[in-house]
């Protein structure tokens, strides 16, 4: 699976949801956990990551996949090509579920894109989605008004924006705050 789209749209959370629904464990790997400064070591670590996912019957999520699967046409060094090649080989041979996520679909190698059976775009919330997330996430920080149309004018809101605002307001305020302040914070977050 390839999950792509705006940051904060729920790519990792959806991976966790799939894990819960399938009963499989969930492993997330980021570039900082896999890249090594020594030539050839990144490829060994990638191989180990896939082996461990297979043995533990885990859904493997490779976050920020553009770090791993960048276009090889712009590569200056052979090690830049070899890490992409290794990941492509691992993806083809792996029998379990692998999710790669990226905020930068256009940076991915064209051969990598062909390896994914499903390419799923995660978009900012619709107006209906904003209203649902408001009810679920912000009721503990403010009184939710009946009319939520003020949210409709805030473009590109994601679940991650709502979470950041909620968490920040819970830290700063001990009492519930005004709806106007919530709106102001959401606009600032975007």
């Amino acid at each position: 699976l390839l999950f792509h789209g705006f940051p904060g749209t729920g790519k990792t959370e959806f991976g966790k949801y799939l894990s819960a629904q399938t009963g499989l464990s969930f492993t997330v790997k980021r570039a900082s956990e896999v890249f090594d400064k020594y030539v050839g070591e990144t490829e060994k670590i990638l191989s180990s990551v896939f082996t461990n996912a297979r043995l533990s019957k885990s859904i493997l999520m490779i976050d920020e996949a553009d770090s791993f699967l960048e276009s090889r046409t712009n590569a200056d060094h052979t090690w830049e090509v070899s890490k992409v090649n290794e990941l492509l080989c691992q993806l083809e041979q792996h029998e379990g579920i692998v999710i790669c996520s990226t905020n930068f679909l256009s940076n991915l190698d064209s051969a990598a894109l062909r390896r994914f059976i499903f390419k799923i775009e995660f978009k900012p919330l619709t107006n209906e989605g904003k209203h649902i997330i408001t009810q679920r996430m912000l009721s503990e920080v403010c009184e939710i008004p009946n009319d939520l149309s003020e949210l409709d004018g805030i473009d590109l809101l994601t679940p991650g924006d709502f979470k950041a605002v909620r968490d920040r307001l819970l830290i700063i305020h001990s009492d519930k705050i005004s709806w106007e302040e919530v709106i102001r914070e959401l606009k600032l977050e975007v």
Side-chain angles (χ1 to χ4, degrees):
L1 307 168
L2 176 64
F3 293 172
H4 62 94
F6 275 86
T9 51
K11 296 180 288 292
T12 302
E13 288 303 312
F14 192 67
K16 291 176 186 176
Y17 171 80
L18 289 176
S19 168
Q21 293 302 305
T22 60
L24 299 171
S25 59
F26 186 65
T27 302
V28 178
K29 292 295 178 183
R30 293 171 179 81
S32 62
E33 299 171 271
V34 177
F35 286 167
D36 195 283
K37 64 182 178 179
Y38 296 107
V39 174
E41 289 303 309
T42 297
E43 292 83 346
K44 289 178 187 175
I45 295 169
L46 274 171
S47 177
S48 172
V49 163
F50 276 85
T51 297
N52 290 339
R54 180 178 47 80
L55 293 174
S56 66
K57 294 181 175 34
S58 179
I59 293 176
L60 174 59
M61 181 169 215
I62 299 174
D63 197 17
E64 308 299 341
D66 45 282
S67 300
F68 297 93
L69 295 172
E70 60 207 352
S71 177
R72 291 171 286 182
T73 58
N74 300 328
D76 294 326
H77 307 284
T78 57
W79 56 266
E80 292 172 300
V81 173
S82 66
K83 71 177 170 109
V84 175
N85 291 343
E86 179 63 27
L87 184 51
L88 292 178
C89 289
Q90 290 295 335
L91 284 170
E92 280 200 355
Q93 295 171 7
H94 191 69
E95 294 178 4
I97 298 171
V98 178
I99 303 168
C100 287
S101 68
T102 181
N103 301 331
F104 304 104
L105 183 65
S106 62
N107 293 355
L108 295 186
D109 189 88
S110 59
L113 288 172
R114 288 192 299 275
R115 299 301 200 284
F116 296 102
I117 297 170
F118 296 102
K119 299 167 192 75
I120 303 167
E121 182 178 9
F122 285 68
K123 297 179 180 181
L125 293 165
T126 62
N127 289 338
E128 180 184 3
K130 293 174 202 175
H131 298 187
I132 291 169
I133 292 285
T134 296
Q135 297 293 342
R136 291 188 180 161
M137 293 186 78
L138 297 180
S139 61
E140 59 191 307
V141 297
C142 73
E143 289 294 326
I144 308 294
N146 291 329
D147 180 12
L148 298 177
S149 61
E150 200 168 0
L151 287 169
D152 300 349
I154 308 173
D155 293 330
L156 306 179
L157 276 172
T158 68
D161 296 325
F162 279 88
K163 182 181 184 314
V165 166
R166 182 199 63 201
D167 293 351
R168 181 168 55 249
L169 292 174
L170 285 172
I171 290 170
I172 295 172
H173 300 283
S174 57
D175 295 329
K176 287 193 176 190
I177 62 165
S178 71
W179 175 245
E180 291 74 24
E181 188 169 350
V182 169
I183 292 295
R184 187 171 42 256
E185 288 293 322
L186 286 169
K187 287 178 180 178
L188 286 171
E189 192 63 31
V190 174

